[in-house]
Amino acid sequence: MTDELDLHALRMRTALRQALRAAEAGEVPVGAAIFKDGHLIAQAHNQTETLKDATAHAEMIAITQAAAAVGDWRLDGMVLYVTKEPCVMCAGAIVLARIPLVVWGVSDPLRGGAASRFQILQSETLNHRTDYLTGVLEAECAALLKDFFKARRSSPEADSPPGAAVV
């Protein structure tokens, strides 16, 4: 199990690098990476502010990239790594894409759509289930989010949307 956890941690670092790119762009620092047969197929970070698109979450973008890479919307045999527990929208897309395993760093007890608040990934009312593993590089993933929101709250632009001029 230690070797497997080491492998998950190594792959989570790819998602963490994407989360750092999101933070640098002023986006909520969430990153995702999808692997198939040990190969990186897709990687993305949150871009909701950049694209002005509520659906531009890291997971959604990575799923779209992976589907394009393999030429199929069914992502059987792939593993999605994401720094924060997926929201309800992303968890639904994960199930619909038939991704068999999601690995995330930090859980979201207030809004987590995968398992913490809503249990979309294992819902018996859906026709597919997705297994999950939590807590991989949890401290690093949590620190990135905490630092981002702390900086946002303490900045003069805290009350303005990203990109707005501060007078």
Side-chain angles (χ1 to χ4, degrees):
M1 186 67 166
T2 301
D3 288 343
E4 186 177 344
L5 287 176
D6 289 345
L7 180 62
H8 288 313
L10 180 66
R11 292 177 179 172
M12 181 64 77
R13 294 219 176 273
T14 303
L16 263 169
R17 284 191 295 276
Q18 287 295 313
L20 286 168
R21 289 185 64 194
E24 291 166 359
E27 299 278 358
V28 174
V30 176
I34 298 178
F35 287 81
K36 180 176 176 67
D37 300 327
H39 300 284
L40 179 64
I41 300 296
Q43 58 184 327
H45 58 276
N46 276 0
Q47 297 183 52
T48 55
E49 297 296 339
T50 302
L51 299 176
K52 306 297 184 224
D53 179 356
T55 68
H57 291 196
E59 302 95 308
M60 300 294 283
I61 296 169
I63 288 169
T64 299
Q65 290 174 354
V70 298
D72 195 349
W73 60 269
R74 291 174 194 87
L75 303 181
D76 298 320
M78 298 195 192
V79 180
L80 168 64
Y81 293 84
V82 61
T83 55
K84 187 182 83 58
E85 179 181 357
C87 70
V88 171
M89 172 184 68
C90 293
I94 290 163
V95 172
L96 291 173
R98 293 168 171 73
I99 297 172
L101 177 64
V102 179
V103 179
W104 69 78
V106 63
S107 293
D108 184 352
L110 296 177
R111 291 169 292 283
S116 295
R117 178 76 172 165
F118 303 95
Q119 295 76 42
I120 302 292
L121 296 184
Q122 289 291 310
S123 175
E124 292 185 12
T125 61
L126 299 173
N127 60 342
H128 294 280
R129 315 274 178 286
T130 296
D131 291 326
Y132 60 91
L133 175 65
T134 69
V136 175
L137 301 184
E138 183 175 16
E140 292 175 56
C141 295
L144 186 57
L145 286 162
K146 181 180 174 185
D147 292 347
F148 174 82
F149 285 111
K150 182 179 178 183
R152 180 170 273 183
R153 283 190 300 274
S154 66
S155 75
E157 295 88 18
D159 295 328
S160 302
V166 177
V167 187

